[in-house]
């Protein structure tokens, strides 16, 4: 019997102990059935040599995996993957339906998000929706955190305001004014990122059975979230300059949607932006059919502006029919979990009340840190560095994508994503990639229909490592 091969994915820059990384890496591969029951693990010396760690680290890792039920030790033979009892003891593995279900690892939204969080710290992945950690201003965040910790300690120990940290809301007023969106501080509600913002809005405006429109393709996480609320999710075909207006009008008359969630600027996954002409038409259709528009502008700060003008629905509508969502997960630090909603005063109050009933408040520690960074001017310089770096890396990455036979329609000129057509089912590519420890984001996940797709979302900022390129070259040859 040959030993199982384990890809080298350890990071010595993450701060996480190597033994912890090894345990997490191996347990994840066993959970996802990439390591089969009965497979023999590499010997301690072989694993240590392959991964550049000490034998003592490997021994400690294997012992912990034995204790957790992932491995078994056979005297004189080594370590082997053991069969783990299902958590639900009512499930019987000899039932063919259950056995088949356990063997199949569906490529769905949960699959992608779960594996994104399992990627080793410091290891960028082409499927990620965030910038590599090395691109972010960790020192700036640490400095702001230290400064906040020296403030009045009693303020850090009590509940925060349900509407959010007041100085940050005042700063957000200035930020939106630069985008020609007028909003007073009382028109803001802070959230745990755009994810919670969408959840609050959907729960306030919709009831089970209602219809919500989204772009197709669009950010995949909300599909499952809305479905769990009992909402019907309908996709509107996204074109290079915005949604297909004829389809929007026809489906609006048919479905009577309560909300339409849209990326106006740097659409995920295509990095395209809304044209001014389409923006006006969208608002007219929304008014005719009484649809509340929810503008997700999470990638706002990655857009260069200037020679590439961006039209936002909230700037045209001034928060009458539009609810505007933003945040700092993509540009500053995902772990801070600071986002916000801007809306008319009455809607903002309703959403603050709903937030209060759900979570009382958000922790304003992260909000204070973000305020410190925004108010002292370091954020603007940080954004200039990110956009410059993206502009430098994007052209060669796009050329290499096209050299592999993939097409880009259109090729992005800003943002971090490329929406590439591979000419074949990318679910198959993603499954093959996972067998090699590589995560890809297949196009099917970005459509509410979840139908097979030839598209693939690639994060151009995370393509500096050759692992993904080598896999794509082999697979698309």
């Amino acid at each position: 019997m040959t030993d199982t091969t384990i890809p080298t994915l350890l990071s010595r820059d993450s701060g996480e102990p190597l033994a912890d990384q090894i345990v997490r890496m191996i347990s994840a591969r066993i959970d996802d059935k990439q390591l089969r029951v009965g497979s023999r693990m590499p010997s301690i010396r072989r694993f240590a040599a392959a991964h550049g760690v000490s034998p003592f680290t490997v021994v400690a890792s294997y012992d912990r995996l034995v204790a957790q039920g992932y491995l078994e030790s056979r005297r004189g033979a080594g370590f082997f993957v053991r069969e783990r009892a299902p958590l639900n003891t009512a499930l019987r593995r000899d039932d063919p339906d259950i056995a088949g279900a356990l063997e199949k690892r569906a490529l769905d939204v949960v699959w992608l998000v779960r594996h994104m969080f399992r990627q080793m710290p410091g290891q960028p992945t082409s499927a990620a929706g965030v910038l590599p950690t090395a691109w972010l201003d960790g020192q700036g965040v640490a400095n702001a955190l230290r400064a906040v910790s020296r403030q009045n300690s009693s303020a850090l120990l009590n509940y925060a305001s349900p509407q959010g940290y007041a100085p940050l809301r005042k700063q957000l007023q200035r930020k939106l004014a630069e985008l020609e969106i007028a909003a007073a501080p009382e028109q803001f509600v802070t959230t745990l990122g755009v994810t919670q913002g969408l959840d609050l809005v959907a729960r306030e405006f919709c009831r089970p059975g209602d219809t919500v429109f989204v772009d197709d393709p669009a950010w995949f996480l909300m599909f499952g979230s809305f479905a769990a609320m009992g909402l019907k999710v309908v996709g509107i075909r996204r074109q290079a300059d915005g949604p297909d207006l004829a389809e929007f009008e026809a489906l609006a008359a048919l479905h009577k949607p309560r909300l339409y969630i849209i990326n106006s600027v740097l659409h995920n996954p295509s990095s395209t932006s809304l044209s001014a002409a389409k923006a006006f038409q969208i608002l007219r259709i929304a008014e005719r059919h009484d649809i509340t528009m929810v503008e997700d502008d999470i990638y706002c700060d990655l857009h260069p502006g200037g020679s590439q003008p961006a039209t936002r629905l909230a700037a045209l509508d001034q928060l009458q029919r539009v609810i505007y969502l933003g945040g700092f997960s993509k540009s500053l630090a995902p772990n801070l979990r600071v986002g916000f909603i801007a809306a008319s005063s009455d809607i903002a109050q309703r959403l603050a009340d709903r937030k209060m009933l759900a979570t009382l408040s958000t922790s304003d520690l992260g909000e204070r840190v973000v305020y410190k960074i925004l108010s002292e001017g370091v954020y603007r310089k940080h954004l200039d560095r990110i956009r410059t770096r993206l502009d430098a890396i994007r052209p060669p990455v796009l050329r290499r994508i096209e050299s592999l036979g993939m097409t880009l329609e259109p090729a992005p000129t800003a943002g971090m994503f490329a929406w590439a057509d591979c000419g074949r089912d990318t679910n198959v590519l993603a499954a093959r990639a996972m067998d090699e420890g590589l995560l890809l984001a297949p196009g099917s996940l970005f459509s509410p229909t979840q139908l097979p797709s030839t598209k693939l979302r690639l994060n151009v900022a995370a393509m500096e490592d050759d692992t993904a390129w080598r896999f794509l070259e082999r697979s698309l040859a």
Side-chain angles (χ1 to χ4, degrees):
M1 178 185 294
T2 59
D3 288 349
T4 298
T5 300
I6 308 292
T8 301
L9 294 170
L10 302 181
S11 169
R12 286 165 173 76
D13 301 323
S14 67
E16 182 182 22
L18 291 172
D20 291 352
Q21 295 185 45
I22 293 170
V23 169
R24 186 154 53 80
M25 175 177 66
I26 293 176
S27 61
R29 291 179 67 80
I30 293 174
D31 282 340
D32 293 322
K33 304 198 183 304
Q34 296 173 41
L35 297 180
R36 299 293 181 180
V37 172
S39 300
R40 185 170 66 189
M41 298 298 295
S43 70
I44 290 170
R45 289 185 178 179
R46 181 180 166 210
F47 191 104
H51 296 266
V53 298
S54 74
F56 299 104
T57 300
V58 183
V59 169
S61 304
Y62 279 9
D63 284 345
R64 284 169 56 186
L65 288 162
V66 170
Q68 294 174 21
Y70 284 99
L71 301 181
E72 62 178 330
S73 175
R74 300 178 188 173
R75 186 179 296 275
F79 291 85
F80 293 79
V81 177
R82 68 178 297 179
E83 182 172 9
R84 305 185 75 217
L87 294 178
N88 183 349
T89 55
L91 296 180
R92 292 172 44 245
R93 285 180 176 266
D94 57 353
D95 184 318
D97 292 333
I98 293 174
L102 290 171
E103 284 298 313
K104 293 179 181 178
R105 308 300 296 178
L107 274 67
D108 57 12
V109 170
V110 175
W111 173 89
L112 180 59
V113 176
R114 180 175 62 240
H115 285 86
M116 283 170 62
F117 279 107
R118 282 183 177 169
Q119 292 296 295
M120 289 296 174
Q123 297 288 333
T125 166
S126 63
V130 295
L131 294 169
T133 304
W135 287 45
L136 303 177
D137 187 7
Q139 189 59 53
V141 172
N143 292 341
L145 185 58
R146 281 193 291 270
V148 168
S149 69
R150 292 193 293 267
Q151 296 174 359
N152 181 3
S153 60
S154 63
L156 302 177
L157 300 177
N158 294 316
Y159 284 119
S161 164
Q163 198 149 1
Y165 184 50
L168 175 60
R169 289 188 283 118
K170 184 69 174 177
Q171 188 69 33
L172 291 174
Q173 178 186 27
R174 300 186 187 98
K175 177 179 172 62
L176 262 62
E178 295 179 0
L179 303 177
E180 301 182 340
I181 303 170
E186 61 267 21
Q187 291 180 253
F188 291 92
V189 181
T190 60
T191 62
L192 291 171
V194 165
T195 306
Q196 187 191 30
L198 285 172
D199 185 84
L200 290 173
V201 171
R203 292 183 187 279
E204 179 63 30
F205 281 82
C206 301
R207 297 295 177 267
D210 285 347
T211 297
V212 174
F213 280 3
V214 297
D215 286 335
D216 188 356
W219 182 49
F220 47 79
L221 195 64
M222 60 182 169
F223 304 156
S225 176
F226 292 158
M229 296 182 201
L231 306 181
K232 181 179 180 181
V233 183
V234 174
I236 306 299
R237 183 166 54 249
R238 178 78 180 211
Q239 299 171 326
D241 59 348
D244 183 319
L245 295 179
E247 185 172 272
F248 177 25
E249 180 90 66
L251 292 179
L254 177 65
H255 292 287
K256 308 296 182 186
R258 298 285 292 153
L259 304 172
Y260 183 175
I261 291 86
I262 186 171
N263 282 142
S264 295
V265 177
L266 295 183
H267 165 254
N268 179 11
S270 70
S271 289
T272 57
S273 296
L274 192 63
S275 68
K278 277 206 170 175
F280 281 106
Q281 292 300 317
I282 288 168
L283 290 175
R284 291 179 63 182
I285 295 172
E287 183 177 9
R288 282 198 293 271
H289 297 278
D290 193 23
I291 304 169
T292 298
M293 300 298 299
V294 183
E295 188 167 34
D296 173 2
D297 201 15
I298 187 62
Y299 297 98
C300 163
D301 292 334
L302 300 185
H303 192 276
S307 61
Q308 298 186 45
T311 302
R312 291 174 172 85
L313 297 175
L316 300 178
D317 171 81
Q318 292 301 311
L319 303 178
Q320 298 303 303
R321 184 173 294 279
V322 176
I323 298 173
Y324 180 91
L325 276 62
F328 303 93
S329 295
K330 309 302 181 183
S331 55
L332 190 56
N335 200 24
L336 289 174
R337 304 305 300 136
V338 176
F340 63 90
I341 303 169
S344 63
S345 296
D346 63 319
I347 290 177
Q349 186 59 61
R350 286 160 53 191
L351 293 172
D353 290 345
R354 181 167 288 276
K355 170 187 168 183
M356 179 177 63
L357 292 172
T359 60
L360 290 181
S361 68
T362 45
S363 169
D364 73 358
L365 178 60
E367 295 172 15
R368 289 169 182 262
V369 169
V370 170
Y371 167 71
K372 187 78 173 171
I373 293 171
L374 265 59
S375 63
E376 295 190 349
V378 297
Y379 185 58
R380 192 180 300 275
K381 296 176 182 177
H382 167 63
L383 291 179
D384 287 342
R385 289 192 296 270
I386 287 180
R387 289 192 290 253
T388 298
R389 194 166 180 178
L390 278 171
D391 288 344
I393 199 172
R394 189 183 304 106
V397 168
L398 299 185
R399 286 195 295 271
R400 193 166 181 182
I401 288 172
E402 292 178 325
S403 74
L404 298 181
M406 293 184 273
T407 57
L408 299 161
E409 296 178 0
T413 57
M416 71 172 80
F417 298 130
W419 188 231
D421 192 331
C422 300
R424 62 194 68 190
D425 186 349
T426 50
N427 274 5
V428 176
L429 280 182
R432 290 175 182 167
M434 184 53 65
D435 288 339
E436 300 185 22
L438 176 67
L439 186 63
L440 297 180
S444 64
L445 302 188
F446 295 85
S447 171
T449 66
Q450 305 284 280
L451 292 175
S453 169
T454 60
K455 297 293 184 69
L456 190 69
R457 190 191 73 178
L458 296 170
N459 184 337
V460 299
M463 297 295 288
E464 294 178 292
D465 178 47
D466 265 350
T467 305
W469 289 119
R470 288 195 296 268
F471 171 80
L472 291 171
E473 287 169 355
R474 293 195 313 272
S475 300
L476 299 178

